[in-house]
């Protein structure tokens, strides 16, 4: 510990206090000054014998937090007072009653909130989560609690060096887990970026240092580029008579790191991705039109990418963010994002919620209130464990909206990641249930297609369509998911009823009483868990009962005959259920997966009807490969003893045996062609499309579609139909 002399410390402290006052723009009145002075004196007195781990007097911490609140968040006098005192009640002799007596009720509430949050930031993850919950609970008292807590965390992150390594990791992890997302949601972009960068610096010190160094090295190149890019824009905006400033901002280190991780690219591939920001000095009533004038100037020089235009001026983000974004092509062939906004919008973007106080009456205030209201509902309504709660809330924090439109131009707001199917269910439950695909911006897409803001979405339906099991994974909104689940349940109940009545008839012909004992005996015999499951399978054709072998009926009761010591002679015809393979006997696939532990190999993805074999893997399960699998030769030659013969049960099985195949095709580029192809796949043949991509090049096109088919016959028919489409020259199943 290096403790400076009392004189130096006193001088430094006086300087910090002067800086605090100078920076407190919103606290200039004598009354405000007096309150800050009182808080300052109380804090100095209360913390006077305390030092931080670094050796510096403790009071430097609260004063730094107060400066962050006032200078970086633009908060008011009450926030400054409370941040100066934020650690007093917890760590010193000062009581909440003292606070209330000297300052007031409001200050008491805020400091009480801050004291409760900081409670035990120890040990387990659940404690963190519980604290996070408490923190958000205090939202209902005063949002300043959260803002001061974020400022507190920011200062602790800035001074994390003196902590022990494990403590650093814990605090950095927490910061990334809770505080950065929260700052983001409150619109504190600058603070969010800094928290993420600082967190990364402690969690991944080497990678952080490397990116930092590379950014430094490439700075000159970037500056040159920005200057030459901005020059013609500056000149034209001057001519237009607009007042403005232009900034070029490299991405934060954490966002570069995230991008490198996510897209698996190197620094060199992305270091020059940055945004040019044009900030207009213009009165509120003119900011929108001036922003568009500026847009027009920018795009006079550089062609824009129409898919990347984002107008958050007309429709601000939920956290209040307003800006006009476009991405344009620079002369060097690089895409550059240009952000156009007024000074007011810029301050909002940097300081977030706090800046709203200054510009009261903005639409964004409403949205934030709505969000806080939602959180309050979740907290107050939920009995969930704290950890689940955090997960849910984090989802919500990241779940920014996408704004999409109906063909009539009505706006629909969905959570980020929402698909065409989510959209369909939002329009109407019936539309969702009958959805077979969609046209997004007039292009045909599969139901799982993820929507982007600005998309215009038209849902395609078919009377024959109904919800499928895997739809649950194709939606992002909770409401669509619950509607799908409900429909599946209903469907199952209907099937079960059908199966039940079919069995009743069959029992009648055979003279068997339709009673629980008999039904259960049969359920047991076909090795299913429940009569309901058996009814469903009878109805959808997965289970066929032509006759009951080895049974007798006595007085209406069904008895199966068990011959001791000798397995039934022809097991496969005895019951319709697949058996574990015996020596030399083939594995029968596609009948009942329950009794058999096999999975389809990822390398060749066999589908029913393919020529296949089973391979016993080291981990125990059986993998099914196509005989044409590129790995087959090796497996068969080297590990012959682990190979099992396999064949498919009936080729016409409906059921879970549906499988994915990729189709490649090419032809002459023609606008109608893609629609024609998609129409055949989704409408005529009721095949689910998964991934779709089309590429056109000088009059020809290549396409790749992932489809879900029942079996090879189904696929073959589909391929034939596609080959018949005029203009298509080749259609193939992807074989690798
Ligand atoms: Mn603190």
């Amino acid at each position: 510990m290096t403790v400076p002399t009392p004189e130096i410390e006193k001088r430094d402290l006086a300087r910090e206090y002067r800086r605090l006052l100078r920076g407190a723009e919103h606290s200039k009145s004598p009354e405000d000054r007096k309150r800050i002075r009182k808080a300052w004196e109380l804090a100095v007195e209360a913390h006077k014998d305390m030092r931080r781990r670094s050796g510096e007097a403790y009071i430097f911490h609260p004063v730094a937090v107060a400066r962050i609140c006032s200078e970086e968040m633009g908060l008011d006098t009450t926030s400054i007072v409370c941040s100066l005192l934020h650690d007093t009640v917890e760590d010193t002799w000062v009581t909440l009653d003292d606070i209330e007596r000297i300052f007031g009720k409001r200050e008491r509430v805020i400091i009480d909130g801050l004291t409760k949050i900081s409670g035990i930031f120890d040990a387990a993850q659940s404690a963190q989560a519980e604290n996070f919950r408490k923190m958000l609970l205090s939202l209902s008292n005063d949002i300043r609690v959260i803002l001061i807590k974020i400022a507190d965390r920011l200062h602790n992150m800035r001074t994390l060096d003196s902590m022990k390594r494990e403590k650093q990791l814990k605090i950095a992890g927490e910061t990334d887990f809770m505080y950065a997302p929260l700052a983001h949601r409150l619109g504190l972009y600058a603070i969010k970026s800094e928290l993420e960068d600082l967190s990364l610096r402690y969690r991944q010190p080497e990678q952080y240092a490397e990116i930092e160094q590379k950014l430094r090295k490439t700075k000159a190149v970037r500056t040159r580029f920005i200057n030459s890019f901005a020059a013609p824009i500056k000149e034209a905006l001057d001519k237009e008579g607009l007042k403005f400033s232009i900034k070029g901002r490299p991405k934060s280190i954490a966002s570069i790191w995230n991008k490198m991780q996510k897209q698996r690219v190197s620094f060199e591939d992305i270091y020059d991705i940055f945004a040019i920001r044009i900030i207009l000095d213009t009165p509120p009533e003119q900011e929108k039109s001036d922003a568009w004038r500026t847009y027009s100037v920018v795009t006079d020089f550089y062609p824009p990418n129409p898919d990347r235009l984002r107008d958050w001026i007309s429709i601000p983000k939920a956290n209040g963010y307003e800006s006009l974004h476009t991405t344009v092509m620079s002369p060097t062939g690089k895409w550059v994002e240009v952000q156009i906004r007024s000074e007011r919008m810029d301050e909002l973007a940097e300081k977030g919620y706090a800046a709203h106080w200054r510009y009261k009456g903005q639409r964004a205030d409403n949205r934030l209130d709505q969000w806080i209201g939602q959180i309050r509902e979740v907290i107050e309504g939920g009995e969930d464990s704290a950890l689940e709660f955090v997960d849910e809330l984090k989802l919500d924090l990241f779940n920014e909206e996408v704004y999409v439109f109906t063909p009539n131009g009505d706006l629909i707001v969905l959570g980020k990641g929402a698909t065409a199917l989510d959209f369909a269910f939002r329009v109407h439950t019936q539309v969702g249930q009958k959805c077979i695909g969609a046209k997004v911006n007039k292009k045909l897409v599969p139901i799982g297609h993820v929507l982007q803001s600005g998309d215009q979405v038209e849902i395609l339906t078919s009377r024959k369509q109904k919800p499928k099991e895997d739809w649950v994974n194709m939606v992002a909104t909770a409401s669509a998911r619950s509607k799908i689940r409900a429909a599946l349940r209903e469907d199952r109940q209907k099937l079960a009823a059908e199966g039940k009545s079919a069995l009743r008839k069959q029992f009648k012909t055979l003279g068997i009483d339709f009673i629980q004992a008999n039904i259960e005996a049969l359920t047991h015999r076909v090795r299913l868990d429940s009569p309901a499951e058996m009814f469903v399978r009878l109805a959808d054709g997965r289970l066929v009962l032509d006759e009951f072998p080895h049974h007798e009926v006595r007085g209406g009761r069904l008895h199966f005959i068990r011959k001791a010591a000798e397995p039934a002679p022809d097991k496969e015809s005895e019951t319709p259920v697949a058996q574990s393979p015996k020596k030399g006997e083939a594995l029968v696939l596609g009948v009942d997966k329950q009794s058999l532990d096999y999975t389809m190999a990822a390398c060749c993805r066999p589908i029913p009807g393919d020529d296949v074999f089973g391979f016993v893997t080291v981990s125990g399960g059986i993998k099914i490969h196509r005989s044409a699998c590129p790995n087959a030769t090796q497996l068969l030659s080297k590990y012959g003893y682990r190979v099992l013969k396999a064949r498919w049960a009936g080729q016409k099985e409906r059921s879970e045996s549906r499988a994915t195949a990729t189709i490649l095709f090419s032809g002459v580029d023609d606008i109608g062609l893609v629609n024609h192809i998609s129409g055949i796949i989704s409408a005529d043949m009721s095949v689910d499309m998964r991934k779709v991509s089309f590429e056109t090049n000088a009059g020809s096109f290549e396409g790749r579609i992932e489809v879900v088919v029942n079996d090879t016959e189904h696929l073959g028919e589909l391929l034939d139909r596609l080959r018949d489409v005029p203009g298509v020259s080749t259609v193939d199943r992807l074989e690798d």
Side-chain angles (χ1 to χ4, degrees):
M1 292 214 302
T2 46
V3 181
T5 64
E7 291 73 31
I8 293 177
E9 198 159 274
K10 225 172 168 178
R11 190 198 63 202
D12 287 351
L13 208 49
R15 192 188 55 215
E16 279 304 294
Y17 181 63
R18 277 196 310 275
R19 284 181 179 163
L20 171 67
L21 289 183
R22 215 179 306 136
E25 281 179 65
H26 313 308
S27 316
K28 297 281 190 205
S29 76
E31 178 56 30
D32 287 332
R33 294 282 141 144
K34 218 173 115 195
R35 283 170 67 210
I36 294 176
R37 170 112 233 153
K38 265 199 290 185
W40 167 256
E41 278 164 0
L42 180 56
V44 168
E45 180 59 25
H47 290 300
K48 78 170 190 273
D49 296 324
M50 294 168 63
R51 291 197 173 268
R52 303 190 85 205
R53 238 189 110 83
S54 61
E56 115 190 306
Y58 195 86
I59 184 66
F60 282 103
H61 167 63
V63 76
V65 175
R67 286 188 58 195
I68 292 171
C69 284
S70 104
E71 292 162 39
E72 295 176 52
M73 296 178 170
L75 297 183
D76 61 350
T77 307
T78 304
S79 308
I80 294 173
V81 165
C82 292
S83 45
L84 282 171
L85 298 167
H86 79 270
D87 282 329
T88 54
V89 172
E90 193 186 349
D91 298 337
T92 77
W93 45 264
V94 176
T95 65
L96 284 173
D97 289 336
D98 294 335
I99 302 281
E100 184 171 351
R101 186 169 37 77
I102 305 173
F103 299 95
K105 183 81 192 153
R106 169 70 28 209
E107 285 78 356
R108 181 197 180 111
V109 168
I110 294 171
I111 292 182
D112 188 27
L114 284 163
T115 309
K116 278 182 183 146
I117 292 171
S118 63
I120 11 95
F121 251 112
D122 270 349
Q125 201 186 16
S126 58
Q128 290 179 26
E130 190 49 45
N131 271 298
F132 192 52
R133 183 186 159 101
K134 278 187 200 151
M135 172 155 82
L136 290 160
L137 258 173
S138 58
L139 268 173
S140 37
N141 297 330
D142 197 311
I143 191 161
R144 278 174 285 213
V145 176
I146 307 292
L147 295 167
I148 294 169
K149 192 64 203 172
I150 291 174
D152 183 27
R153 174 52 57 117
L154 179 58
H155 185 244
N156 286 336
M157 286 300 292
R158 285 176 180 170
T159 53
L160 203 55
D161 264 338
S162 49
M163 291 286 178
K164 273 194 239 143
R165 177 80 182 131
E166 65 215 73
K167 190 101 186 187
Q168 287 177 343
L169 284 177
K170 182 179 170 301
I171 294 177
E174 254 173 31
T175 300
D176 204 53
F177 178 72
M178 304 192 286
Y179 289 90
L182 194 57
H184 180 67
R185 200 60 180 80
L186 290 170
L188 299 158
Y189 283 98
I191 287 176
K192 172 232 169 195
S193 299
E194 189 178 347
L195 286 174
E196 281 178 349
D197 275 3
L198 286 167
S199 172
L200 184 68
R201 190 173 133 201
Y202 290 98
R203 287 180 300 122
Q204 308 276 355
E206 281 161 32
Q207 286 87 339
Y208 180 90
E210 197 183 324
I211 297 174
E212 194 186 31
Q213 193 208 5
K214 285 180 170 172
L215 270 178
R216 241 193 336 263
K217 273 198 198 150
T218 50
K219 189 166 187 257
V221 183
R222 271 196 311 277
T223 312
R224 258 200 315 278
F225 178 86
I226 291 166
N227 289 343
S228 72
F229 181 90
I233 299 177
K234 273 184 175 157
E235 200 181 323
L237 288 178
D238 277 335
K239 261 189 217 148
E240 290 273 320
L242 289 163
K243 277 194 274 174
F244 64 93
S245 59
I246 298 188
K247 288 191 238 174
R249 301 199 137 201
K251 292 186 148 300
S252 74
I253 293 175
S255 69
I256 291 175
W257 165 251
N258 285 339
K259 200 160 204 149
M260 286 167 64
Q261 294 302 104
K262 246 189 243 154
Q263 303 181 356
R264 292 171 190 281
V265 291
S266 70
F267 176 85
E268 284 66 30
D269 292 323
I270 48 174
Y271 77 96
D272 53 355
I273 299 176
F274 49 86
I276 301 269
R277 189 174 294 166
I278 304 176
I279 300 162
L280 300 164
D281 178 5
T282 177
E285 62 276 11
Q286 253 168 266
E287 51 190 13
K288 187 169 172 178
S289 61
D290 282 352
W292 284 103
R293 266 168 80 198
T294 307
Y295 172 83
S296 154
V297 166
V298 171
T299 51
D300 278 348
F301 292 101
Y302 307 113
N305 177 345
D307 291 343
R308 300 287 300 276
L309 177 64
R310 299 285 178 267
D311 176 9
W312 284 306
I313 295 182
S314 304
I315 307 171
K317 286 192 188 183
N319 62 13
Y321 184 82
E322 291 174 67
S323 195
L324 181 63
H325 291 192
T326 177
T327 299
V328 299
M329 180 61 81
S330 70
T332 53
K334 279 191 181 84
W335 290 110
V336 176
E337 182 178 283
V338 180
Q339 307 173 345
I340 304 166
R341 53 173 78 153
S342 67
E343 277 176 355
R344 179 191 65 84
M345 295 172 188
D346 194 51
E347 192 177 346
L348 262 170
E350 296 290 321
K351 293 184 177 172
Y353 180 78
H356 287 284
W357 285 351
R358 199 112 45 101
Y359 304 101
K360 273 266 158 63
Q362 292 299 319
R363 290 162 296 183
D365 269 354
N366 265 328
R367 290 169 167 272
L368 192 73
D369 284 346
Q370 268 172 21
W371 179 70
I372 290 172
Q374 276 171 17
I375 291 186
R376 212 172 284 158
E377 263 172 44
V378 178
I379 303 170
E380 284 162 3
E383 310 249 306
D384 308 331
S385 79
L387 205 63
E388 267 171 47
F389 167 77
V390 169
D391 279 347
E392 220 167 90
L393 200 82
K394 268 174 73 93
L395 267 180
D396 186 56
L397 289 173
F398 290 116
N399 220 1
E400 286 185 79
E401 296 91 341
V402 288
Y403 301 90
V404 293
F405 297 90
T406 67
N408 301 330
D410 293 332
L411 177 70
I412 289 190
V413 184
L414 295 162
K416 197 170 181 175
T419 61
L421 195 54
D422 282 297
F423 181 95
F425 274 101
R426 176 64 64 83
V427 171
H428 196 279
T429 306
Q430 279 301 313
V431 176
Q433 292 185 354
K434 302 293 174 202
C435 179
I436 53 166
K439 279 186 181 170
V440 169
N441 307 323
K442 313 253 185 258
K443 264 185 261 161
L444 219 115
V445 300
I447 57 180
H449 177 86
V450 175
L451 301 175
Q452 306 290 331
S453 270
D455 282 347
Q456 189 163 45
V457 188
E458 183 187 345
I459 295 298
L460 306 174
T461 57
S462 156
R463 260 183 299 127
K464 280 185 260 169
Q465 180 68 303
K466 59 181 188 178
K468 311 271 174 22
E469 298 274 351
D470 56 356
W471 282 21
V472 174
N473 303 320
M474 291 187 203
V475 293
T477 60
S479 69
R481 196 166 293 136
S482 73
K483 284 175 183 172
I484 293 168
R485 291 222 166 96
L488 290 171
R489 251 195 322 272
E490 205 178 293
D491 199 40
R492 210 180 136 80
Q493 280 162 4
K494 251 204 274 183
L495 277 177
E498 276 172 35
K500 194 172 177 180
S501 88
L503 189 64
R504 189 195 303 269
K505 274 185 209 146
Q506 201 172 0
F507 269 24
K508 203 173 169 191
T509 5
L510 295 168
I512 304 166
D513 290 344
F514 196 69
I515 54 170
Q516 199 60 25
N518 289 341
I519 295 167
E520 267 166 18
L522 185 60
T523 307
H524 186 69
R525 188 60 165 186
V526 296
R527 295 166 198 233
L528 289 173
D529 290 338
S530 68
E533 179 65 27
M534 179 172 69
F535 296 149
V536 169
R537 287 176 185 231
L538 280 169
D540 70 11
R542 274 180 291 168
L543 186 60
V544 182
L545 299 173
D546 287 338
E547 54 166 13
F548 305 129
H550 314 292
H551 79 277
E552 53 187 44
V553 183
R554 272 175 274 137
R557 293 292 291 258
L558 178 61
H559 297 275
F560 286 101
I561 304 154
R562 189 178 293 273
K563 290 184 184 163
E566 187 203 327
D570 184 356
K571 271 204 153 185
E572 270 143 43
S573 68
E574 176 204 352
T575 82
V577 180
Q579 305 295 309
S580 294
K582 287 184 302 181
K583 255 194 201 119
E585 207 176 320
L587 197 57
V588 182
L589 308 171
V591 184
D592 184 350
K593 277 192 182 176
Q594 267 180 344
S595 59
L596 212 53
D597 180 20
Y598 68 82
T599 48
M600 298 301 153
C603 49
C604 54
R605 296 195 295 180
I607 63 176
D610 277 338
D611 204 9
V612 289
F613 65 91
F615 186 77
V616 182
T617 61
V618 179
S619 53
I622 301 166
K623 286 255 187 282
I624 307 300
H625 292 264
R626 287 161 64 184
S627 302
C629 171
N631 297 322
T633 328
Q634 200 202 356
L635 295 177
L636 292 166
S637 59
K638 277 200 184 154
Y639 307 101
Y641 59 96
R642 284 158 64 183
V643 170
L644 298 168
K645 276 193 281 180
R647 64 177 176 79
W648 301 92
Q651 297 259 317
K652 283 272 182 185
E653 297 290 336
R654 281 203 273 155
S655 79
E656 292 163 345
S657 52
R658 288 155 58 82
T660 315
T662 304
I663 303 176
L664 297 176
F665 49 87
S666 65
V668 189
D669 183 20
D670 165 15
I671 298 202
L673 197 57
V674 171
N675 269 355
H676 197 151
I677 289 171
S678 314
I680 288 176
I681 294 175
S682 59
D684 295 7
M685 296 206 41
S686 325
V687 172
D688 280 341
M689 281 187 287
R690 291 288 166 77
K691 292 184 196 129
V692 183
S693 64
F694 289 101
E695 241 174 72
T696 57
N697 185 14
S700 70
F701 82 96
E702 269 176 46
R704 188 185 170 109
I705 297 188
E706 235 180 82
V707 292
V708 182
V709 292
N710 297 339
D711 50 33
T712 41
E713 201 181 318
H714 192 194
L715 181 63
E717 197 186 330
L718 179 63
L719 295 180
D720 285 344
R721 291 283 302 272
L722 292 174
R723 288 193 184 104
D724 288 342
V725 175
V728 169
S729 42
T730 66
V731 177
D732 294 294
R733 173 178 176 192
L734 184 66
E735 290 291 348
D736 72 1

